[in-house]
Amino acid sequence: MTRRYWNISLEEMMEAGVHFGHGTRKWNPRMAPYISAKRKGIHITNLTRTARFLSEACDLVFDAASRGKHFLIVGTKDKAADSVASAAIRARCHYVNKKWLGGMSTNWSTTETRLHKFRDLRVRAEMGQLSRLPKRDAAILKRQLSHFQTYLGGIKYMTGLPDIVIIIDQQEEYTALRECVTLGIPTICLIDTNCDPDLADIPIPANDDAIASIRLILNKLVSAICQGRSSYSYIRSR
């Protein structure tokens, strides 16, 4: 895999607060190699290592995107949800930003059945069929459609398991991470000082609570994916 330059600036990361970790009492000892200092009871992440792993992750997603691979971005906590959706839409990735439904990947056949029902309901709604049903039946189907849109809206075009999963906040998305590990799906995880870096294929040590930090990491990854997709489109058109 060729290494590329991704314009990852330590100054930019400091401005976004990427280096701020959790309190020193709330940490995972396995994060020790990624921590550079303690300040006022807070661990400070080593941004040099963050830059190194972020660059490695960008190389990976660029290479995967240039070969037409599919990505899933997962981040369901309030501070991450909007950034996850906008980043995924920009890079034409699938995403989950409300709630990870247990078995979403390990029980793919059930998820696929739900997606088929979701697509069928969308088509019926677009054709105006729901408005021609009795009010009670229409209300039930509209509630189902709203539920599907909330929890499956970001993966409505998925036709199979993703090739790479990007996870924002390992602790919050532990179920999703374990499912990826079970299935052998490579993961890129944004990990704060209370996380376990050994669970991710590529851990990116960074503040997973600050919106600016989350957005910066996602923007770098998404930029690499977009460049990879452009390369893939160019190769296919030749």
Side-chain angles (χ1 to χ4, degrees), residues 67-217:
R67 291 184 287 115
K69 300 298 183 181
H70 300 284
F71 303 86
L72 173 65
I73 304 177
V74 182
T76 61
K77 64 183 182 182
D78 291 341
K79 290 182 179 179
D82 290 342
S83 296
V84 164
S86 59
I89 291 169
R90 175 185 159 199
R92 289 178 287 134
C93 298
H94 308 295
Y95 68 93
V96 174
N97 72 334
K98 292 301 180 184
K99 180 182 179 181
W100 180 270
L101 304 176
M104 189 174 277
S105 57
T106 50
N107 195 0
W108 174 250
S109 60
T110 298
T111 301
E112 201 168 26
T113 299
R114 289 172 177 165
L115 288 173
H116 285 312
K117 289 181 180 178
F118 182 24
R119 288 166 192 150
D120 179 60
L121 274 177
R122 290 205 323 271
V123 170
R124 293 177 67 184
E126 289 167 3
M127 294 178 67
Q129 292 181 5
L130 300 188
S131 61
R132 294 195 289 270
L133 294 173
K135 286 186 177 181
R136 183 174 178 277
D137 294 342
I140 291 173
L141 292 179
K142 286 178 180 178
R143 279 198 299 272
Q144 285 184 7
L145 182 58
S146 176
H147 178 84
F148 283 145
Q149 181 59 45
T150 299
Y151 298 109
L152 302 178
I155 63 167
K156 60 187 175 185
Y157 298 118
M158 274 183 71
T159 56
L161 292 172
D163 298 296
I164 294 176
V165 176
I166 298 169
I167 294 176
I168 306 300
D169 193 337
Q170 185 191 85
Q171 294 275 34
E172 188 80 17
E173 315 304 341
Y174 187 74
T175 302
L177 176 61
R178 292 307 308 178
E179 290 189 25
C180 290
V181 171
T182 298
L183 295 171
I185 300 173
T187 58
I188 296 169
C189 291
L190 196 158
I191 55 168
D192 212 323
T193 54
N194 62 335
C195 296
D196 183 352
D198 296 339
L199 294 177
D201 291 283
I202 298 183
I204 302 175
N207 184 345
D208 63 12
D209 292 314
I211 295 175
S213 173
I214 294 169
R215 190 174 293 146
L216 186 150
I217 300 296

